[in-house]
Amino acid sequence: VISFPPDPLKQGEHRIRVLWWYSEDEAFLFNQLPTYGVVTLEPDDKREFRRLRDTVPVVWANAGETRRTDSVDVQLVRFRAPADSGDVFVAADVPVSDLVRGIDLARGALRVDFEAFNWRAERVFRQSTEETLDFSRPEGKEVRSWSTRVPAGTFLYRVEALQPDAMRGARGASRIEIPVHTGFEVSDLLVAQTVAPKPGVVPARWSDFDIAPNLGRVRRGNPFALLWETYGLTPKDGTDRYAVAITFTRLQPSSGGLAGLAAKIIGGVASAVGLSKHGDNEVSLSFPRQAPARAVAVDYVTVDLGDAAPGTYALQLSITDEVTQQVSTRTGRITVIE
């Protein structure tokens, strides 16, 4: 912070100028009357100030690193919604045991916030939860999930967890793109531990399912679920006809030491249950679908990769409209862990 005395060449000028100069080479120049606690921006600096406010709303470079902030792994899945908007399902893996380690208390609070901002740093939405934890039995990580409707646009989202007694936090952040889409398309692909229709509900949309998220991490030998929606299919005789192809590709190809890859559908779409394929480093499960015509078709399957080797696998979902032969594809990844 640098203060400059009034300009002696300007008669009657009593204002001092105050310069805030940051190490990032960003600066603000103010006018101030002595003894007053109010400053105004230099006229020529107002446009630059607005630019900085919009593009760099906050900088934490001067905060130091005396307190460590853990990372929060986040899974975000988008589905189409009406009126130029999107439905967003978010799951976050909070490192609970790290946040409460060494606290000399039996119980305490954990607060988790999920919020998003537009490019002007204006909050678009916020959801918060606060719960009481038993510190004698903290779990290593605990998955929290939210769902919300977001207008079309580009937003920064942030998931933050805070244990206020120890003042320990964890954070995950990235960008949400909610495009305006019409016509034929498939949603993002949701990978979960389990997916099941809610009791007493005939599923019409993704929100009609109970979802136990796993952020794409699959324990070796355990099945997992995939959920997606297809939009804008072209009906024929009151029926939607489309083909589904789900492909798994090992990203660390076998060099003789890894067993072959096997995949089998064991739940979900009734006509696909029992379908299985084998391969060296890639397998594809394909099956036809036929259902009464609707604006949105929702599907899910439960998949077993058997004794697949630990590692990362690319996942591709392709939907082919059998009437128009249009194809829509979504990709993702799963990580098989021991």
Side-chain angles (χ1 to χ4, degrees):
V1 176
I2 307 172
S3 295
F4 299 92
D7 189 343
L9 300 179
K10 292 184 179 180
Q11 188 175 3
E13 176 59 68
H14 302 295
R15 295 177 181 269
I16 63 174
R17 287 176 297 169
V18 179
L19 176 68
W20 291 1
W21 189 3
Y22 292 85
S23 58
E24 290 78 18
D25 287 332
E26 303 289 5
F28 302 99
L29 185 59
F30 303 96
N31 279 325
Q32 182 182 28
L33 281 172
T35 74
Y36 280 74
V38 178
V39 299
T40 59
L41 281 165
E42 280 278 353
D44 293 339
D45 207 38
K46 288 183 179 180
R47 180 177 298 178
E48 175 67 6
F49 173 75
R50 293 191 186 98
R51 182 191 70 80
L52 288 174
R53 182 192 61 187
D54 291 344
T55 60
V56 192
V58 63
V59 175
W60 300 102
N62 65 332
E65 298 182 357
T66 56
R67 295 188 181 275
R68 182 171 62 91
T69 301
D70 285 323
S71 296
V72 175
D73 293 332
V74 180
Q75 176 190 32
L76 187 144
V77 185
R78 302 163 300 173
F79 299 93
R80 191 182 292 182
D84 294 342
S85 60
D87 286 333
V88 177
F89 174 84
V90 177
D93 209 352
V94 180
V96 176
S97 62
D98 290 337
L99 298 180
V100 304
R101 182 178 291 116
I103 299 178
D104 191 20
L105 292 172
R107 301 173 69 82
L110 177 69
R111 191 178 75 206
V112 183
D113 294 332
F114 169 49
E115 53 192 347
F117 305 86
N118 63 18
W119 68 280
R120 291 182 177 275
E122 299 164 338
R123 183 181 288 116
V124 178
F125 63 83
R126 181 180 185 180
Q127 295 188 22
S128 299
T129 61
E130 186 163 336
E131 58 192 281
T132 301
L133 298 178
D134 182 353
F135 290 164
S136 65
R137 296 183 301 171
E139 298 187 20
K141 292 186 176 181
E142 292 188 1
V143 176
R144 308 295 197 277
S145 62
W146 305 265
S147 60
T148 189
R149 182 158 292 176
V150 184
T154 301
F155 309 99
L156 171 72
Y157 75 81
R158 194 165 61 199
V159 176
E160 293 185 314
L162 174 66
Q163 205 299 303
D165 300 295
M167 286 304 294
R168 294 179 187 148
R171 179 186 299 122
S174 190
R175 190 173 65 177
I176 308 174
E177 297 275 0
I178 306 294
V180 178
H181 281 316
T182 59
F184 175 64
E185 186 183 45
V186 65
S187 71
D188 287 346
L189 181 59
L190 192 155
V191 183
Q193 182 175 330
T194 59
V195 168
K198 293 180 179 178
V201 175
V202 178
R205 294 298 306 268
W206 72 274
S207 52
D208 294 327
F209 291 84
D210 288 324
I211 301 167
N214 63 2
L215 284 80
R217 291 193 290 267
V218 178
R219 193 161 295 279
R220 188 178 189 182
N222 289 357
F224 59 96
L226 305 174
L227 171 69
W228 68 91
E229 291 185 338
T230 307
Y231 315 105
L233 289 161
T234 301
K236 183 177 182 180
D237 300 326
T239 302
D240 288 330
R241 294 179 174 86
Y242 55 102
V244 179
I246 305 170
T247 303
F248 300 91
T249 305
R250 194 190 338 249
L251 295 184
Q252 299 87 11
S254 174
S255 58
L258 296 176
L261 184 59
K264 183 177 182 179
I265 295 177
I266 61 173
V269 176
S271 61
V273 172
L275 177 64
S276 64
K277 286 291 179 65
H278 294 75
D280 291 331
N281 295 303
E282 180 176 292
V283 294
S284 184
L285 302 171
S286 302
F287 54 92
R289 289 287 287 134
Q290 181 173 316
R294 302 190 60 174
V296 180
V298 60
D299 291 303
Y300 80 103
V301 293
T302 302
V303 180
D304 186 356
L305 288 184
D307 199 31
T312 303
Y313 295 76
L315 176 59
Q316 178 175 289
L317 169 70
S318 295
I319 305 295
T320 303
D321 187 329
E322 297 286 16
V323 176
T324 65
Q325 295 304 306
Q326 288 181 291
V327 179
S328 183
T329 301
R330 283 288 182 267
T331 59
R333 289 190 178 189
I334 62 170
T335 302
V336 176
I337 59 177
E338 290 287 4

